[in-house]
Amino acid sequence: MTKYNRREQLQAVHRARRADTKQKIEAAIQQLIQSSQSINFNSVSKEAGISKATLYNTPQLRKQVETLRQQ
């Protein structure tokens, strides 16, 4: 019987959740661009179904939204 490593399991779950969140945000941004809507933290969070805090607290996502907001 193999030894169950809880830490590795939790890390794998968190990596999968982060990837899923990033995918939701990318899809939301593409949808907003196609429909010619403004891109800001509120619109991206509503379209993706995630909280604004997630966008603000993740530096890579925050930078992406801020860059697109400027355009």
Side-chain angles (χ1 to χ4, degrees):
M1 184 170 187
T2 61
K3 186 174 180 181
Y4 178 76
N5 190 336
R6 186 177 189 101
R7 177 173 282 181
E8 288 178 10
Q9 181 66 26
L10 286 174
Q11 288 174 344
V13 168
H14 287 293
R15 278 192 301 271
R17 288 181 70 192
R18 280 192 301 265
D20 185 45
T21 300
K22 186 175 180 179
Q23 185 178 26
K24 286 180 184 180
I25 292 169
E26 292 292 332
I29 289 172
Q30 290 302 316
Q31 181 65 27
L32 291 170
I33 290 172
Q34 289 176 356
S35 62
S36 299
Q37 294 179 354
S38 64
I39 296 177
N40 53 43
F41 289 100
N42 286 329
S43 62
V44 173
S45 69
K46 285 182 184 179
E47 187 70 31
I50 60 168
S51 68
K52 287 187 284 186
T54 301
L55 293 172
Y56 281 115
N57 292 332
T58 310
Q60 181 185 14
L61 300 176
R62 182 177 187 158
K63 184 177 179 182
Q64 183 178 10
V65 172
E66 287 175 344
T67 302
L68 292 170
R69 185 172 62 174
Q70 299 288 330
Q71 297 177 356

